[in-house]
Amino acid sequence: MGQSTFAAPKQVNTRPRRVVLYSHDTFGLGHLRRSRALASALTQSGAAASAIILTGSPVAGRFTFPEAVDHVRLPGVKKLGDGSYASQASGMDIDATTALRAGLIQSTVAQYDPDLLIVDKEPTGFRGELIPTLEMLNGSGKTKIVLGLRDVLDEPEVLASEWDRKGAVEATEAFYNEIWVYGVKSVYDPTKGLPLSDRARARTYWTGYLRREIVDPADVPEEPYVLITPGGGGDGQAMVDLVLKAYEQDPTLGPDAVLVYGPFLSGDTRDAFEARVAALNGRVTATGFDSRIEALFAGAEGVVSMGGYNTFCEVLSFDKRAVIVPRTRPRLEQWIRANRAEQLGLVRNLDQFRDGLTPQSMIAAIRDLPSLRRPSQSGADGLLDGLDVVINRARQLMSQRVRDAAE
């Protein structure tokens, strides 16, 4: 009998799917918390068997992660007052720290061999640290790469200049299979003003906002309370001061407040706030950092917060009447988000340009909280499909890797 002319079928690697999420985290909690929400959704849905978050956040170890999600802590950096960066490790300059981070990222991705890499916000990474990894993955052609963008980045002109300086448009065009915007295009388009090609825009998906749930149950006050949260807290001093002045100047102001400082509001500033909180005799209670803040959101009568992406998602997800006090430096991101959300009837924007940030304006805003519409009354439920869309897109992309391997 002659030799068969039929080739044996090619073996396709059907190993459990793996995802890496890159989160540069030079400041605050936003990138890490968003990456944790995405990793949790992908693993708990079964779209991925495991996920690793690459993060520079100094507080990553204080969060709980699902069993299938782990994190690699990159050497930390801090932003200085002039906008430059310095290493948090003594004896290393910023160039050496960036090179070390780049090497850790590349070696982790090479060893883990993910089916999908999701990059948060920065197409080239912190100071270009992601470029060697993107070039490595582009050469192999196995790992699908996604750029994930929050709903608002900055003013279009400012963002275009920043991306031009960083070579971000070129990197997006060259390396990324898809762009996911964690928002709704009719609310805001963060890519407006960027010179992206028609091809890149054709592979852009607006997922909707990322719905949040209670991750870790926690005890919350039995009495009604307003939740006061500046997010990570690093730039929340002015808002916390304003809220405390409101309660100090109006002894009848209620309900009582629960203040979560955030992990980056500390030192002498926090000590001074603590003394003022103590003098309010229980009308305001405070805690430094609670990774279980979702439970505090769920139990609150209303919320006073800054306008970060994650906080906004929590306001929508837990359907809370909210007063947003957005920062306006160094970016207008929070103000743009809060202003647009107010136009849609989702929140009240305490706008320093319009209302002025005074104790009297904060007193009035807290008193008016019960009269605000809940986000659901303005259609918020239809904005919160983000995690479902992410799971579906991830499945589609990772199935392409299997098909590519079979060809």
Side-chain angles (χ1 to χ4, degrees):
M1 177 179 287
Q3 186 175 1
S4 173
T5 59
F6 294 99
K10 183 179 291 187
Q11 295 298 310
V12 177
N13 184 3
T14 57
R15 61 158 203 192
R17 290 171 179 167
R18 305 170 183 170
V19 177
V20 167
L21 301 98
Y22 166 82
S23 169
H24 68 290
D25 286 301
T26 57
F27 183 74
L29 290 176
H31 306 289
L32 173 61
R33 296 189 64 218
R34 185 160 53 246
S35 294
R36 184 181 69 152
L38 293 166
S40 298
L42 290 170
T43 54
Q44 291 175 2
S45 67
S50 63
I52 290 178
I53 299 173
L54 302 172
T55 175
S57 173
V59 296
R62 295 167 65 179
F63 282 89
T64 58
F65 293 90
E67 184 177 345
V69 179
D70 207 340
H71 71 281
V72 173
R73 168 79 162 86
L74 303 173
V77 297
K78 55 187 176 183
K79 193 170 188 176
L80 304 179
D82 63 0
S84 64
Y85 289 90
S87 173
Q88 289 182 338
S90 60
M92 291 186 68
D93 63 24
I94 191 61
D95 290 332
T97 300
T98 304
L100 176 57
R101 287 168 55 109
L104 288 170
I105 293 166
Q106 187 171 5
S107 62
T108 300
V109 170
Q111 292 290 325
Y112 188 62
D113 188 23
D115 300 272
L116 177 64
L117 170 65
I118 302 174
V119 174
D120 191 76
K121 181 182 174 287
E122 295 285 350
T124 61
F126 172 67
R127 301 182 84 239
E129 67 185 1
L130 202 57
I131 292 294
T133 298
L134 294 174
E135 291 175 341
M136 175 187 72
L137 294 178
N138 190 52
S140 72
K142 295 189 298 182
T143 301
K144 302 300 180 181
I145 309 174
V146 167
L147 176 63
L149 303 176
R150 64 186 181 225
D151 60 337
V152 182
L153 295 172
D154 206 338
E155 297 172 276
E157 298 80 7
V158 174
L159 182 66
S161 176
E162 178 184 331
W163 275 43
D164 179 64
R165 185 177 71 254
K166 294 179 176 179
V169 170
E170 292 82 357
T172 301
E173 298 279 355
F175 297 121
Y176 288 88
N177 297 97
E178 291 187 357
I179 302 168
W180 298 347
V181 180
Y182 307 127
V184 178
K185 191 174 185 180
S186 62
V187 175
Y188 194 79
D189 180 359
T191 69
K192 184 170 53 176
L194 293 178
L196 294 171
S197 67
D198 291 342
R199 184 168 174 268
R201 293 191 179 280
R203 56 179 190 262
T204 299
Y205 295 84
W206 271 260
T207 68
Y209 289 90
L210 306 179
R211 187 183 296 273
R212 304 305 165 87
E213 298 176 347
I214 295 176
V215 178
D216 300 304
D219 294 331
V220 300
E222 295 183 1
E223 298 299 320
Y225 64 91
V226 176
L227 176 63
I228 314 296
T229 170
D235 53 1
Q237 177 179 346
M239 191 202 80
V240 172
D241 176 64
L242 191 63
V243 171
L244 292 179
K245 283 179 178 176
Y247 278 87
E248 289 164 344
Q249 294 187 18
D250 187 345
T252 68
L253 184 61
D256 292 345
V258 173
L259 167 61
V260 181
Y261 290 118
F264 302 114
L265 202 163
S266 58
D268 293 342
T269 299
R270 178 171 163 182
D271 291 342
F273 284 151
E274 291 281 77
R276 293 169 64 184
V277 167
L280 287 166
N281 297 317
R283 295 176 57 222
V284 177
T285 57
T287 182
F289 170 62
D290 198 328
S291 62
R292 302 168 298 179
I293 198 169
E294 294 90 353
L296 289 171
F297 264 97
E301 293 290 302
V303 175
V304 178
S305 72
M306 296 180 69
Y309 177 85
N310 291 285
T311 301
F312 183 58
C313 286
E314 284 153 346
V315 165
L316 299 185
S317 299
F318 296 109
D319 201 24
K320 295 302 172 182
R321 299 179 176 95
V323 173
I324 305 297
V325 188
R327 73 178 181 213
T328 56
R329 299 180 188 175
R331 298 178 181 275
L332 277 180
E333 168 223 339
Q334 292 193 2
W335 183 87
I336 293 169
R337 179 180 296 113
N339 186 59
R340 185 72 182 108
E342 184 178 63
Q343 291 173 358
L344 296 171
L346 300 169
V347 303
R348 162 76 193 283
N349 176 23
L350 193 61
D351 184 351
Q352 62 176 295
F353 304 117
R354 179 190 65 197
D355 306 303
L357 298 183
T358 66
Q360 290 69 38
S361 65
M362 179 58 75
I363 290 169
I366 293 174
R367 287 196 176 280
D368 288 346
L369 264 172
S371 67
L372 298 181
R373 292 163 61 91
R374 291 186 181 274
S376 61
Q377 295 174 286
S378 298
D381 290 344
L383 305 177
L384 287 162
D385 295 331
L387 291 176
D388 291 336
V389 175
V390 163
I391 290 166
N392 180 58
R393 291 307 316 154
R395 289 186 193 275
Q396 292 286 331
L397 281 173
M398 289 189 287
S399 67
Q400 286 179 20
R401 168 170 170 153
V402 172
R403 290 198 300 272
D404 293 346
E407 293 175 356

